[in-house]
């Protein structure tokens, strides 16, 4: 079974600085998707960024980018120019891309990000 | 609305009662998922529907939990004879479907269930 590990329960960053959140996963599959979700205090669950494993190019979405290292099974999230609104729980998630495979997302335990003014 | 809608937002009930949680997915989304999120944890998968068919229920913890989506739209997650350990946030998500393609799951705001 696939597992997702977020080794940093909490992180903090100064406003306007850059922070990197770590995520590693374990799978025997070669084709899959990876996601980062943001959960602010409002308790929404917001998709931040996604990556297909077959794509070598790292995904970017404005101030958010990933460092996808397939061989190392690592998928870190970099937030540049951090803003107060970035404060939230961040969850890394995995989903298989296999035809006939489960559609479920497998989540890590999350990293709580604090942004200091 | 444009997003996934869940009701109620909060549910407090006594141990032993049955509860029904409702999810209204985004219009046109054929895939629907239920997750449970304990405090301080990431969401854990419960079950998945493709249209009205329950394709995967491997995450349902025991037979007190059931879910249905009779018309391929609104879904209900039912917990019978609730226990205190059932207390959690229950989240619903939907996606366009198309198995094997990168269709992201969009989450509702959840129902926070408290069993006294």
């Amino acid at each position: 079974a696939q597992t997702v590990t977020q080794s940093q329960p909490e992180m903090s960053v100064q406003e306007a600085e850059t922070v990197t959140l770590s995520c590693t996963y374990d799978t025997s599959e070669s084709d899959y998707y990876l996601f980062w979700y943001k959960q602010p205090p409002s308790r929404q669950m917001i998709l931040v960024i996604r990556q297909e494993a077959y794509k070598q190019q790292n995904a970017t979405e404005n101030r958010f980018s990933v460092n996808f290292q397939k061989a190392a099974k690592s998928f870190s999230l970099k937030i540049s120019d951090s803003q107060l609104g970035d404060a939230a729980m961040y969850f890394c998630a995995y989903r298989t891309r296999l035809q006939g495979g489960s559609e479920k997302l497998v989540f890590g335990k999350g990293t709580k990000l604090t942004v200091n003014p | 609305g444009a997003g996934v809608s869940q009701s109620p937002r909060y549910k407090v009930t006594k141990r032993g009662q049955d509860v029904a949680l409702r999810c209204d997915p985004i219009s046109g989304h054929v895939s629907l998922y239920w997750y449970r999120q304990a405090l301080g944890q990431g969401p854990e998968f419960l079950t998945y529907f493709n249209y009205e068919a329950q394709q995967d229920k491997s995450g349902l913890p025991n037979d007190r939990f059931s879910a249905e989506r009779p018309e391929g739209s609104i879904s209900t997650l039912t917990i019978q004879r609730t226990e205190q350990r059932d207390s959690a946030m229950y989240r619903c998500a939907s996606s366009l479907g198309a198995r094997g393609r990168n269709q992201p799951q969009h989450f509702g705001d959840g129902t926070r269930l408290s069993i006294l």
Side-chain angles (χ1 to χ4, degrees):
Chain A
Q2 293 81 20
T3 58
V4 176
T5 302
Q6 294 180 249
S7 59
Q8 306 153 317
E10 298 187 21
M11 292 282 285
S12 64
V13 63
Q14 291 296 125
E15 197 175 2
E17 297 294 307
T18 295
V19 64
T20 298
L21 308 183
S22 300
C23 173
T24 58
Y25 56 94
D26 186 23
T27 183
S28 58
E29 298 173 347
S30 60
D31 204 7
Y32 46 86
Y33 305 113
L34 296 165
F35 304 86
W36 279 97
Y37 280 87
K38 170 185 178 182
Q39 188 175 11
S42 64
R43 78 183 208 177
Q44 295 172 291
M45 197 78 168
I46 302 165
L47 177 65
V48 174
I49 199 165
R50 56 186 168 177
Q51 174 84 39
E52 289 105 336
Y54 65 89
K55 290 187 177 179
Q56 293 185 342
Q57 186 173 7
N58 288 324
T60 62
E61 288 286 343
N62 300 312
R63 297 183 295 107
F64 299 86
S65 61
V66 299
N67 183 7
F68 174 48
Q69 301 289 330
K70 191 173 183 180
K73 295 180 183 176
S74 172
F75 183 61
S76 59
L77 175 69
K78 185 171 82 170
I79 306 174
S80 304
D81 186 25
S82 298
Q83 301 176 359
L84 294 178
D86 295 334
M89 283 290 288
Y90 285 83
F91 292 99
C92 179
Y94 169 103
R95 181 163 75 88
T96 184
R97 192 171 177 267
L98 292 176
Q99 291 287 346
S102 174
E103 296 283 325
K104 68 181 181 183
L105 288 169
V106 178
F107 286 88
K109 290 187 175 183
T111 295
K112 182 179 180 181
L113 178 66
T114 301
V115 181
N116 300 309
Chain B
V4 177
S5 178
Q6 290 187 247
S7 61
R9 282 178 63 87
Y10 302 93
K11 178 69 177 179
V12 180
T13 193
K14 293 182 178 180
R15 180 167 51 94
Q17 297 293 307
D18 297 350
V19 296
L21 311 181
R22 174 188 164 116
C23 173
D24 194 349
I26 293 172
S27 179
H29 280 196
V30 303
S31 297
L32 185 145
Y33 314 80
W34 283 99
Y35 292 84
R36 178 169 69 174
Q37 185 176 11
L39 197 62
Q41 302 290 320
E44 290 185 326
F45 171 78
L46 294 176
T47 188
Y48 154 65
F49 289 86
N50 186 38
Y51 293 97
E52 72 282 359
Q54 191 172 20
Q55 300 277 8
D56 185 353
K57 55 181 182 179
S58 62
L60 296 177
N62 52 60
D63 60 7
R64 295 186 298 106
F65 287 73
S66 63
E68 62 175 9
R69 193 187 185 197
E71 297 180 0
S73 179
I74 293 170
S75 176
T76 303
L77 176 70
T78 300
I79 309 173
Q80 295 179 312
R81 307 180 301 281
T82 52
E83 301 177 5
Q84 286 188 327
R85 60 178 172 159
D86 300 334
S87 297
M89 174 76 81
Y90 289 82
R91 291 191 180 272
C92 175
S94 70
S95 73
L96 278 170
R99 182 186 292 272
R101 298 187 179 182
N102 187 10
Q103 299 294 335
Q105 296 179 20
H106 301 269
F107 284 82
D109 287 351
T111 293
R112 184 169 296 284
L113 177 64
S114 296
I115 309 299
L116 303 177

